[in-house]
């Protein structure tokens, strides 16, 4: 690692502001961020790999790991430099340990651990899902707990009841596909470019959501659980048959109708969770929480039904390292540090405060 001429890597006591460095490499974003010990984001740098994976129509794990390896040092340096020209004092380094792509995670974990060890600061392994949960507090530091948190990303659709930064119970989850997967696969069927979710969101903007009706999957079944595999099949059959039926809709209308069905289920089930657990606040986090229709509907309902809503800014919805630093900060405050033999874990599932 070459740190010559750079004020970035500096640990231990000094007069600078004490901070947590967060590192994220679980999928196709190489990210680093610096958060002060009073919760202020000083920098958040995200290098997306969309250009690498675009022509394959999805993330290629081996290419993701290689790109993380090429980029990680530069991204961490950039985050450190943006955080403070004279360097920042690192109190700890937090790194996503899992869940995610094994080879991609290993890059971040090895780098984070080696840097922490060489600087003599504690290392904190973070669960990616917990980092998404913590992202809600980046822009809403006084958001009240207990609350319901919907984590809605490419690989997960989980409803949590969050009582304190360290206490979570899983109260609902998808039984098959994640909502992000339904967006991505639906987008592929509509011939949209990778990554599909944002492309479908953009296309749906100029469509009429009531022109094509897709039944709301699992809305009146399964309690607080979700199921999104059926709606993809419904879209497949609709696209196959629409010329035969002579349905007068545009691709924009289809995208809008499909999006509306997914979003409505996400909102309704989250509202149900709030009523069932008698809380006043909802946070919605993860890549799909960047969806413009989901955000609009949640805001409408928050006003109408008088609950508090925490939505991260869009750049904190999709994978980033500010959320990893935030989860690391929570663990830091609880005195939960990881041992040096804790390693990357692709299948790490539920949220725990310290991931290892
Ligand atoms: O949290 P994230 O960046 O990575 C995972 O942890 O999975 O989430 C990525 C997912 C993808 O499925 C992507 O298509 C979806 O979030 N996504 C969106 C939007 N932006 C990202 N889905 C719908 N509308 C969006 N605007
Ligand atoms: Zn994620």
């Amino acid at each position: 690692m070459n740190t010559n001429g750079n004020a970035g890597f500096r640990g231990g006591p000094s007069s600078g502001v004490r901070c947590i460095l967060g590192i994220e490499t679980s999928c196709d974003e190489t990210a680093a961020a610096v958060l002060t010990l009073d919760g202020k984001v000083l920098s958040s740098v995200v290098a997306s790999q969309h250009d690498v994976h675009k022509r394959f129509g999805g993330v290629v794990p081996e290419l993701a790991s290689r790109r993380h390896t090429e980029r990680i040092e530069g991204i961490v340096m950039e985050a450190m430099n943006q955080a403070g020209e004279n360097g920042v004092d690192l109190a700890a380094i937090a790194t996503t340990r899992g869940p995610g792509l094994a080879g991609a995670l290993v890059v971040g974990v090895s780098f984070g651990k080696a840097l922490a060890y060489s600087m003599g600061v504690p290392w904190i392994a973070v669960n990616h899902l917990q980092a998404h949960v913590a992202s809600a507090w980046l822009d809403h530091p006084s958001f009240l707990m207990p609350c319901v948190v919907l984590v809605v990303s490419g690989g997960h659709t989980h409803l949590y009841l969050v009582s304190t930064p360290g206490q979570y119970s899983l109260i609902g989850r998808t039984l098959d596909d994640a909502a992000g997967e339904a967006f991505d696969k639906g987008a592929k069927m509509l011939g949209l470019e990778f990554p599909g979710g944002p492309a479908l969101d953009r296309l749906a903007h100029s469509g009429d959501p009531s022109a094509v009706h897709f039944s709301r999957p699992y809305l009146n079944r399964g309690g607080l659980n979700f199921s999104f595999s059926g709606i993809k099949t419904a879209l497949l059959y609709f696209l196959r048959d629409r010329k035969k039926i002579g349905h007068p809709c545009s691709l924009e209308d289809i995208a809008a109708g499909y999006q509306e069905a997914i979003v409505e289920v996400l909102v309704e089930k989250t509202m149900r969770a709030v009523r069932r657990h008698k809380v006043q606040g909802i946070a919605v986090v993860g890549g799909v929480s960047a969806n413009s229709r989901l955000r609009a509907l949640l805001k409408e309902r928050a006003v109408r039904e008088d609950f508090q809503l925490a939505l991260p800014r869009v750049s904190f919805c999709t994978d980033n390292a500010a959320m990893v630093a935030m989860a690391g900060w929570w663990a830091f405050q609880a005195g939960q540090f990881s041992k040096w033999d804790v390693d990357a874990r692709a299948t790490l599932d539920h949220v725990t405060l310290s991931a290892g």
Side-chain angles (χ1 to χ4, degrees):
M1 182 184 307
N2 173 21
T3 58
N4 286 347
N6 201 306
F9 295 131
R10 186 144 58 85
S14 109
S15 55
V17 187
R18 300 200 79 213
C19 295
I20 308 259
L21 169 69
I23 298 175
E24 158 65 37
T25 62
S26 68
C27 191
D28 60 340
E29 258 91 30
T30 316
V34 176
L35 181 85
T36 65
L37 287 191
D38 51 9
K40 195 167 146 235
V41 179
L42 294 184
S43 65
S44 176
V45 180
V46 180
S48 153
Q49 303 180 356
H50 292 166
D51 56 325
V52 176
H53 305 286
K54 204 171 203 147
R55 67 194 166 106
F56 301 101
V59 179
V60 182
E62 173 61 21
L63 297 184
S65 321
R66 286 189 214 169
R67 183 52 80 94
H68 285 309
T69 308
E70 288 159 14
R71 292 246 170 121
I72 183 102
E73 183 181 348
I75 295 300
V76 170
M77 292 302 297
E78 202 178 322
M80 294 289 283
N81 289 334
Q82 278 184 21
E85 278 179 8
N86 303 317
V88 292
D89 270 348
L90 288 188
I93 296 177
T95 313
T96 301
R97 179 197 184 197
L101 302 172
L105 289 163
V106 165
V107 178
V109 165
S110 311
F111 191 93
K113 228 194 282 188
L115 188 57
Y117 190 79
S118 65
M119 293 176 72
V121 298
W123 180 65
I124 301 165
V126 166
N127 181 314
H128 184 76
L129 294 178
Q130 198 214 358
H132 274 304
V133 170
S135 72
W137 279 265
L138 284 167
D139 286 329
H140 305 88
S142 51
F143 190 66
L144 287 181
M145 299 179 198
C147 61
V148 162
V149 181
L150 173 68
V151 181
V152 65
S153 68
H156 296 88
T157 303
H158 282 10
L159 269 172
Y160 289 101
L161 180 66
V162 175
S163 311
T164 69
Q167 267 193 321
Y168 303 82
S169 27
L170 183 69
I171 52 174
R173 64 183 306 170
T174 181
L175 302 176
D176 42 53
D177 293 351
E181 226 172 316
F183 269 105
D184 292 338
K185 292 188 177 153
K188 214 169 193 171
M189 287 184 230
L190 290 166
L192 302 176
E193 60 180 17
F194 171 85
L200 197 148
D201 187 354
R202 282 194 297 275
L203 186 71
H205 258 282
S206 36
D208 171 4
S210 59
V212 185
H213 180 84
F214 289 94
S215 59
R216 283 28 184 166
Y218 241 58
L219 186 57
N220 298 312
R221 285 199 286 156
L224 298 178
N225 290 328
F226 302 88
S227 164
F228 290 109
S229 65
I231 192 165
K232 287 178 332 200
T233 319
L235 176 62
L236 185 73
Y237 290 158
F238 182 81
L239 289 170
R240 188 193 63 187
D241 298 339
R242 83 184 165 118
K243 288 219 172 78
K244 216 164 39 188
I245 312 165
H247 202 299
C249 59
S250 63
L251 271 190
E252 286 82 353
D253 292 339
I254 304 173
Y258 183 76
Q259 172 176 271
E260 196 68 13
I262 298 172
V263 162
E264 211 176 290
V265 174
L266 291 173
V267 173
E268 286 308 327
K269 293 244 170 178
T270 308
M271 294 303 304
R272 206 172 287 169
V274 163
R275 288 191 292 269
R276 189 174 292 183
H277 292 278
K278 299 184 174 54
V279 295
Q280 252 113 47
I282 292 179
V284 182
V285 300
V288 178
S289 65
N291 181 268
S292 60
R293 180 62 189 139
L294 177 61
R295 296 174 82 86
L297 198 57
L298 283 165
K299 284 177 191 164
E300 244 176 75
R301 295 286 292 263
V303 172
R304 191 156 21 110
E305 292 167 51
D306 196 26
F307 61 85
Q308 287 186 34
L309 177 65
L311 284 172
R313 72 181 81 163
V314 168
S315 59
F316 291 159
C317 293
T318 44
D319 288 348
N320 66 88
M323 66 183 194
V324 178
M326 188 70 179
W329 182 45
W330 283 355
F332 183 89
Q333 286 171 310
Q336 296 193 353
F337 304 110
S338 302
K339 297 202 173 108
W340 298 114
D341 61 356
V342 168
D343 225 328
R345 183 74 68 79
T347 55
L348 202 62
D349 195 6
H350 300 305
V351 166
T352 48
L353 179 54
S354 169

